[in-house]
Each structure stands twice: as C-alpha cells, then as structure tokens.
Amino acid sequence: FEQFWGRTNPYTHKRYVDDPAVAVLELSNEHSLLLQWGVGLEQLHPTHLASLTRKWNEWLKTKYPSEEALQAAWKGSVHSGLQPGESLQSGTIAREPALPALADRWPEQRKLDLLDFYRELEEGFYAKVAAKAREMGFKVPMVPGIHYNRPLLQAMQAHFPVADIHVN
C-alpha cells in the first residue's frame, strides 16, 4: 500500500497524498473474504490458505476455552462438533468442509463462527490500511471496498463515508 500510494505522480510531480486528482481512496477493489467464501476462496495459493487456517484455529482458541466447549457449541446437525482428525489443541480445525456441497450439514454455530472470523479479519484489515493511509497524510474520503448491497458488508463498512456499490 505504502509503496504504491507513497509514490510521486510523474505528471503533476506531487505525492499522491497531496495530488488533487485523487478524490477518493479505495482501500481494496473487489476483494473480500466474505464475498469469496464458498465461491473461490479455496482457490487461493496454499500459503495463503494455510495462513487463514492457522488464524482460524487461533481465533477459535480465543473464543472457546476448551475443546469440550467448542463441541458443545457445534451441535445439532448431521456433522455435529469436530470432524475426524480435527483438534482445537493441535490447530487442525478446517475452515471449509472437504466437500463444499456438504456445508449445509455443518452445525449452524460452526458456520456463524466462520462468518464472524472472516468479518473480524476483514474489518481488521480495513482498519489497518485506513490507519496507514491517514498516517501517510491522506485526507480524502476512503472506501474499504465493494459491498454489492450485501447487508453484512454494508454494516461492516457503515462507518466509512463513501460506499462502492455495484448493482447486479
């Protein structure tokens, strides 16, 4: 972010932060964990997927004090609780089912936890990038990214003064 926006415009010879041609700063264009969940997120590079899974397991450890507590929360479906080979202590809990078509059989709380995890991760990213932009001196309105009129994304981005809405 800083390498891109910290440059000088070769035509106006002004830093982009000072250039009046920059009217709005979009922090991320059409990238969202929430938008990609179930429609391509698992196509990311394995390094990124491993990082997401590690963060997911760390997030679960902060939410659930024990594996028993997690098992109790993730009940009431065909595939209740942890699946074979998953463990909170060893950090081997999958974010996505091996077969996405079976996700509807996962406990509702497991899906809600994953949704909360992605939302918190995305909110943290936007907060960090917006803070970096302010630190660099940007005073223009910032928009985090597109939200396609999705209520969860709209709520997450509501405190930003500008919205990027594409209507299908």
Side-chain angles (χ1 to χ4, degrees), residues 14-58:
K14 293 181 180 190
R15 293 182 323 139
Y16 284 112
V17 70
D18 301 318
D19 197 323
V22 178
V24 174
L25 185 61
E26 187 163 30
L27 303 177
S28 176
N29 183 37
E30 298 192 20
H31 295 94
S32 171
L33 291 169
L34 295 168
L35 285 175
Q36 294 304 313
W37 182 20
V39 293
L41 186 61
E42 296 306 310
Q43 302 305 312
L44 288 172
H45 190 277
T47 302
H48 298 303
L49 293 174
S51 177
L52 267 178
T53 299
R54 180 182 48 76
K55 288 175 191 255
W56 162 240
N57 279 269
E58 290 168 1

Side-chain angles (χ1 to χ4, degrees), residues 49-165:
L49 293 174
S51 177
L52 267 178
T53 299
R54 180 182 48 76
K55 288 175 191 255
W56 162 240
N57 279 269
E58 290 168 1
W59 186 89
L60 287 171
K61 286 178 185 177
T62 65
K63 180 166 182 171
Y64 296 103
S66 67
E67 203 156 286
E68 292 76 24
L70 186 144
Q71 291 275 31
W74 288 4
K75 62 182 179 187
S77 75
V78 176
H79 297 290
S80 292
L82 296 174
Q83 301 306 297
E86 292 185 324
S87 163
L88 185 61
Q89 299 312 313
S90 63
T92 54
I93 300 175
R95 288 173 300 95
E96 306 281 340
L99 299 171
L102 300 179
D104 64 329
R105 297 182 187 173
W106 278 28
E108 194 64 26
Q109 188 58 50
R110 183 172 182 152
K111 292 183 274 186
L112 290 171
D113 281 346
L114 186 58
L115 183 66
D116 282 345
F117 165 70
Y118 286 150
R119 181 190 48 77
E120 286 180 23
L121 197 60
E122 195 160 325
E123 280 180 332
F125 168 78
Y126 287 133
K128 186 176 181 179
V129 176
K132 176 50 98 176
R134 284 190 296 279
E135 176 188 309
M136 291 172 66
F138 279 99
K139 292 178 179 47
V140 296
M142 289 182 228
V143 61
I146 191 168
H147 65 57
Y148 287 110
N149 286 328
R150 302 267 172 83
L152 185 61
L153 288 171
Q154 285 176 313
M156 184 178 73
Q157 299 176 8
H159 65 279
F160 284 88
V162 179
D164 180 0
I165 304 170

